[in-house]
């Protein structure tokens, strides 16, 4: 029985079922992480054609930028900004780019992302379109024809120690890597083991596993190319209880959404309003009027054992203007994943009420 009722922070187990869910496993290359998968795609493209420039969304994780830098590809950004109705994309200058990457955010507003992808495909017939489906991995996609490659990190969805997937829309699967990253895996697995003990009340020291999680990420940042997925994570992904995870995430999201008025009264604004039938949310993203407000509220939650990430930290690889930086400074991702139920969501809403 879990003793600690902290909400958020690192996963330490995967919810599995005896059934083998083969839905994710067709024509896919499995690798160590999302960026390993992206680098594999870039190498596949480079083998076929010269690539000088890539167009990335200005709102993205550093780990999406790094693989292009690794291969000496010039990175330019198209603008993504937060609006009342979700996010808005400025893609008018995309036409002359060799590669264009499109990303869905938080598994929400999927139709908008797909329409943009179709528009890009019509406008830039010569560009290679890569779809980052990390956030929309378990949402059922309607439109499928516009991308050339897609990839995802599975680690965002549950306690997988590692795992990236990549696929191209035409032809067979790309090769499977064979090298296993034991140094990284030993560290992350030990971190998860210690966190489990902490959550079960067998230890009261968090500092050690937090340090290990952080060191594991550091290892991954520096060395991620051409590694295979571990057997453990591959097995867990095959048996991942997607139906339970999806329905719990949806219920938790709706629970917070029902309290949208309470959020707005505190000047906390949902980034996306509704949840479409086929969408499985990664988080419940909200935005604040400014960075100080966001940081103050985030600290308040931490003091109450609720740990919400921001998407994303700005890195040296980002190139932002005042407009595109705003979403980084004001966004906070409220937790709604399958580890929690409506009681936990009520607790978060209650903290917001008392804020």
């Amino acid at each position: 029985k879990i003793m600690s009722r902290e909400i958020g922070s690192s996963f330490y187990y995967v919810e599995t079922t005896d059934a083998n869910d083969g839905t994710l496993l067709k024509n896919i290359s499995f690798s160590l992480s999302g960026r390993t998968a992206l680098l594999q795609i870039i190498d596949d493209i480079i083998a076929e054609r010269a690539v000088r420039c890539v167009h990335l969304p200005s709102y993205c994780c550093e780990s999406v930028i790094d693989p292009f830098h690794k291969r000496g590809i010039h990175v330019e950004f198209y603008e993504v900004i937060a609006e009342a109705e979700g996010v808005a994309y400025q893609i008018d200058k995309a036409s002359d780019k060799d590669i264009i990457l499109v990303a869905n955010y938080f598994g929400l507003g999927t139709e908008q992302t797909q329409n943009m992808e179709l528009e890009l495909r019509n406008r830039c017939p010569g560009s290679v379109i890569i779809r980052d489906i990390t956030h929309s991995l378990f949402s059922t996609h309607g439109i499928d024809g516009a991308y050339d490659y897609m990839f995802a990190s599975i680690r965002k969805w549950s306690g997988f120690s590692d795992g990236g997937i990549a696929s191209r829309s035409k032809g067979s699967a790309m090769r499977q890597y064979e090298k296993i990253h034991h140094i990284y895996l030993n560290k992350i697995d030990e971190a998860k083991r210690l966190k489990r003990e902490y959550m079960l009340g067998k230890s009261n020291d968090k500092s050690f596993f937090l340090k290990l999680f952080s060191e594991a990420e550091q290892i991954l940042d520096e060395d991620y190319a051409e590694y295979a997925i571990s057997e453990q994570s591959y097995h867990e992904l095959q048996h991942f209880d997607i139906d339970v995870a999806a329905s719990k995430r949806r219920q938790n999201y709706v629970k917070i959404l029902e309290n949208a008025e309470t959020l707005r009264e505190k000047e906390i604004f949902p980034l996306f309003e509704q949840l479409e039938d086929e969408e499985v949310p990664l988080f419940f993203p909200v935005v604040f009027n400014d960075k100080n407000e966001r940081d103050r509220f985030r600290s308040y939650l931490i003091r109450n054992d609720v740990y919400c990430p921001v998407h994303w930290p700005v890195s040296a690889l980002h190139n932002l203007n005042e407009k595109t930086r705003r979403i980084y400074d004001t966004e906070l991702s409220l937790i709604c994943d399958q580890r929690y139920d409506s009681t936990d969501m009520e607790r978060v809403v209650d903290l917001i009420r008392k804020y």
Side-chain angles (χ1 to χ4, degrees), residues 82-194:
E83 287 199 328
E85 290 299 301
V87 294
Y89 304 94
Q90 296 293 150
I91 53 170
D92 43 346
K93 301 188 188 70
S95 55
D96 56 346
K97 306 299 181 280
D98 302 306
I99 299 174
I100 304 170
L101 186 135
V102 295
N104 170 269
Y105 297 107
F106 309 105
L108 304 160
T110 323
E111 192 182 340
Q112 184 195 10
T113 319
Q114 290 173 339
N115 289 339
M116 179 191 67
E117 196 180 285
L118 281 177
E119 194 187 326
L120 280 169
R121 171 49 76 226
N122 294 332
R123 193 186 291 187
C124 319
S127 302
V128 177
I129 293 181
I130 302 176
R131 182 195 281 179
D132 178 352
I133 61 162
T134 297
H135 284 201
S136 54
L137 190 55
F138 301 112
S139 301
T140 48
H141 308 285
I143 305 163
D144 237 18
Y147 70 92
D148 299 295
Y149 293 87
M150 64 181 180
F151 76 97
S153 162
I154 64 170
R155 296 191 306 142
K156 312 291 179 284
W157 287 92
S158 190
F160 302 104
S161 293
D162 63 329
I165 59 174
S167 157
R168 46 182 173 204
S169 61
K170 296 177 184 66
S172 57
M174 292 174 282
R175 73 192 176 97
Q176 301 289 353
Y177 296 130
E178 285 167 20
K179 186 171 61 165
I180 297 288
H181 202 325
H182 293 293
I183 299 171
Y184 163 75
L185 287 166
N186 291 343
K187 192 147 298 228
I188 196 95
D189 288 342
E190 180 63 3
K192 281 160 58 181
R193 187 185 70 76
L194 291 172

Side-chain angles (χ1 to χ4, degrees), residues 19 71 219 243 247 355:
R71 294 296 180 255
I219 291 167
D243 293 342
S247 90
Y355 178 60

